[in-house]
C-alpha cells in the first residue's frame, strides 16, 4: 500500500511523533511506503511531496516540536476549487490512502474529500483540545505544562511586588488550556470563552484577597473569553484571510479594569505561541505515537472516512462526521469545579 500524510493548520507538539508512528508501522508491519505532502493542503494541491522512510531522521523526530512536513492554512473556497487537482495528484502518485493530521478545520476539509471519494483516515491534533469525539488531542498536555510553568513563575514575582498578574493563554473558542493550567497553577480566577465573565466578580475576588492580607492575585484568561454582554467595552477584533477571528487582548482589558477599580498594580503576560512550540511532553509523545500507529493500521484495514480517537485507555475509530460535528467545549460541571477554588 502507498500512504500519504500531511500536517495542516496551526502546528502542535507531537506532530512528528505521529508521522514517525505512521512511517514505522507502514514500513515495518506492512511493508508499505509513505510519502509526506509539504505545507498542508497547499502541498497536496501543488504536489510538493517527499518520500518518508523508517530511517535515522524519522527515528529522531519523536522529541522534536513543530512538523518536519511544514504546515499551512488554506481558505476553504480555494481548497474546494482544487478538488480535481488533488485527485489527479493522488492518482498520479499512486496513493491508496491519505492521513491528514489536523484540527477541526483540517478534519472538515478531510471530511469533504472523503465525501468526494478520497480514502481518508484522519488524526486529530490541536493544543486547544477542542476536537469532538476524543478525550484528548496531543499537544494539549504540552501547552498546559508550558502555561502552568509560566503561572508558577508568576506567583513569586507577583507576591514580591504585591501585584495582580494576568496570564493570557490560547483558546480561541474553548477554554481547556486555561481551565487546566489555571487549576494546576493555582490561579485565583480563570475566564474561558464558554462562560462570559463578570468583571465585578473578578474584582471582588481580588479585593477580598488583599483584604484578607494576601499580597497578590493571578488571573488566567483564555484569549477568546468575553465579558457578560454590556458590562465591559472591548474591541471585537477582525477576521483574518482564513475566516479566523483575530484577538485584541482580553487579558489587557481585564488588567486595565482591575487596576482602575482596585488601584492595584497589574501586569499582563501573553503566552502566545510559546505554548505551541518546543518538545512534546511524555504524555503527548505517547498519545501521538499511538495515533500514528493506529492510523497506519486503519489504512490497511480500509477504515476510510474515520478518525483515530482516545476513549479512556483505548484508541478507537470514530467517523469524520463525529469529529467535526461540533467543538468539544468545557462543560459547566468542569467550570463549576474550577470555580470552587477561585479566590
Ligand atoms: O492551534 C490553535 C490555536 O492555538 C488557537 O488557540 C490560536 O488562536 C491560534 O491557534 C493561533 O494560531 P496562528 O497564530 O497560527 O493563526
Amino acid at each position: 500500500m502507498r500512504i500519504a500524510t500531511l500536517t495542516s493548520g496551526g502546528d502542535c507538539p507531537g506532530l512528528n511523533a505521529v508521522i514517525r508512528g505512521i512511517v514505522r508501522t507502514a514500513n515495518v508491519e506492512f511493508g508499505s511506503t509513505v510519502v509526506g505532502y509539504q505545507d498542508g493542503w497547499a502541498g497536496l494541491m501543488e504536489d510538493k511531496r517527499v518520500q518518508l522512510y523508517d530511517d535515522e531522521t524519522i527515528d529522531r523526530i519523536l522529541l522534536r516540536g513543530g512538523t518536519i512536513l511544514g504546515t499551512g492554512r488554506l481558505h476553504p473556497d480555494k481548497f474546494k476549487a482544487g478538488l480535481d487537482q488533488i485527485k489527479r495528484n493522488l492518482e498520479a502518485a499512486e496513493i491508496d490512502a491519505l492521513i491528514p493530521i489536523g484540527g477541526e478545520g483540517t478534519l472538515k476539509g478531510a471530511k469533504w474529500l472523503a465525501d468526494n471519494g478520497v480514502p481518508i483516515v484522519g488524526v486529530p491534533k490541536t493544543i486547544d483540545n477542542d476536537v469532538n469525539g476524543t478525550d484528548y488531542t496531543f499537544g494539549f498536555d504540552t501547552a498546559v505544562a508550558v502555561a502552568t510553568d509560566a503561572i508558577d513563575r508568576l506567583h513569586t514575582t507577583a507576591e514580591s511586588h504585591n501585584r495582580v498578574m494576568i496570564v493570557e493563554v490560547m483558546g480561541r473558542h474553548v477554554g481547556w488550556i486555561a481551565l487546566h493550567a489555571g487549576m494546576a497553577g493555582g490561579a485565583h480566577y480563570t475566564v474561558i470563552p464558554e462562560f462570559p465573565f463578570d468583571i465585578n466578580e473578578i474584582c471582588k475576588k481580588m479585593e477580598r484577597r488583599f483584604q484578607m492580607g494576601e499580597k497578590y492575585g493571578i488571573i488566567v484568561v483564555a484569549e477568546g473569553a468575553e465579558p457578560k454582554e454590556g458590562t465591559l467595552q472591548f474591541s471585537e477584533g477582525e477576521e483574518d484571510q482564513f475566516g479566523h477571528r483575530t484577538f485584541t487582548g482580553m487579558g489587557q482589558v481585564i488588567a486595565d479594569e482591575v487596576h482602575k477599580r482596585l488601584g492595584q498594580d497589574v501586569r499582563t503576560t501573553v503566552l502566545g505561541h510559546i505554548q505551541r512550540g518546543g518538545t512534546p511532553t511524555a504524555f503527548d509523545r505517547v498519545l501521538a505515537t499511538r495515533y500514528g500507529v493506529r492510523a497506519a493500521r486503519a489504512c490497511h484495514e480500509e477504515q476510510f472516512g474515520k478518525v483515530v480517537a482516545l476513549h479512556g485507555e483505548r484508541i478507537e475509530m470514530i467517523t469524520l462526521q463525529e469529529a467535526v460535528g461540533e467543538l468539544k467545549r468545557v462543560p459547566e460541571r468542569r467550570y463549576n469545579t474550577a470555580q470552587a477554588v477561585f479566590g
Side-chain angles (χ1 to χ4, degrees), residues 1-320:
M1 180 173 235
R2 210 163 139 76
I3 296 173
T5 187
L6 59 83
T7 53
S8 170
D11 74 336
C12 174
L15 285 167
N16 288 324
V18 179
I19 295 168
R20 176 175 172 270
I22 293 169
V23 174
R24 282 234 149 140
T25 308
N27 283 189
V28 179
E29 205 167 298
F30 298 98
S32 294
T33 54
V34 182
V35 300
Y37 284 101
Q38 295 168 314
D39 305 331
W41 294 126
L44 173 55
M45 280 168 64
E46 292 158 19
D47 201 26
K48 277 167 63 182
R49 66 187 139 95
V50 285
Q51 191 73 38
L52 300 171
Y53 302 99
D54 178 27
D55 57 10
E56 271 181 28
T57 312
I58 286 295
D59 189 33
R60 289 179 192 162
I61 60 173
L62 175 64
L63 337 180
R64 214 163 115 186
T67 160
I68 56 162
L69 291 175
T71 186
R73 294 196 169 100
L74 195 62
H75 195 282
D77 294 343
K78 217 168 167 186
F79 173 68
K80 288 184 176 173
L83 178 64
D84 290 342
Q85 189 62 50
I86 288 173
K87 283 186 158 180
R88 270 199 301 276
N89 290 349
L90 289 171
E91 203 178 321
E94 298 178 333
I95 303 299
D96 303 300
L98 176 63
I99 306 179
I101 311 167
E104 190 231 355
T106 301
L107 295 177
K108 274 189 176 147
K111 181 178 181 308
W112 187 78
L113 283 186
D115 291 345
N116 281 281
V118 177
I120 300 258
V121 170
V123 175
K125 74 86 240 212
T126 166
I127 64 164
D128 293 343
N129 196 37
D130 60 0
V131 176
N132 197 44
T134 184
D135 292 353
Y136 290 101
T137 46
F138 63 88
F140 171 65
D141 187 66
T142 307
V144 169
V146 170
T148 303
D149 180 59
I151 297 167
D152 288 350
R153 287 166 192 281
L154 289 169
H155 276 276
T156 57
T157 173
E159 187 172 19
S160 305
H161 289 265
N162 290 8
R163 280 175 174 157
V164 174
M165 289 287 186
I166 313 280
V167 193
E168 190 180 294
V169 300
M170 280 188 168
R172 205 194 304 242
H173 306 293
V174 304
W176 288 107
I177 296 175
L179 187 85
H180 280 227
M183 192 178 274
H188 306 114
Y189 209 99
T190 298
V191 296
I192 60 175
E194 289 86 340
F195 304 98
F197 64 84
D198 181 349
I199 189 68
N200 295 321
E201 201 186 303
I202 295 176
C203 288
K204 264 194 214 146
K205 287 268 190 237
M206 290 303 123
E207 195 170 26
R208 196 176 131 76
R209 281 186 62 74
F210 288 103
Q211 281 167 354
M212 300 287 288
E214 297 288 353
K215 291 180 155 186
Y216 72 105
I218 306 249
I219 303 171
V220 173
V221 178
E223 62 187 348
E226 286 191 7
K228 282 189 174 157
E229 217 181 314
T231 58
L232 200 58
Q233 281 212 322
F234 68 102
S235 157
E236 295 275 357
E238 285 163 12
E239 279 199 355
D240 68 13
Q241 52 174 321
F242 308 109
H244 293 163
R245 188 182 141 199
T246 55
F247 295 101
T248 52
M250 188 54 70
Q252 193 55 46
V253 172
I254 294 175
D256 292 344
E257 199 61 22
V258 171
H259 174 66
K260 200 170 89 189
R261 293 189 188 199
L262 304 189
Q264 286 292 337
D265 213 7
V266 186
R267 293 288 187 277
T268 307
T269 304
V270 180
L271 292 183
H273 295 80
I274 290 170
Q275 296 156 95
R276 247 172 46 184
T279 188
T281 58
F283 179 90
D284 280 339
R285 290 179 211 178
V286 172
L287 180 59
T289 301
R290 293 177 75 199
Y291 276 173
V293 171
R294 189 70 188 93
R297 287 180 179 160
C299 288
H300 291 87
E301 292 159 6
E302 301 193 358
Q303 293 216 42
F304 298 130
K306 301 260 181 81
V307 178
V308 297
L310 179 69
H311 293 157
E313 274 309 300
R314 302 178 70 87
I315 305 289
E316 295 179 337
M317 304 304 295
I318 61 171
T319 62
L320 273 162

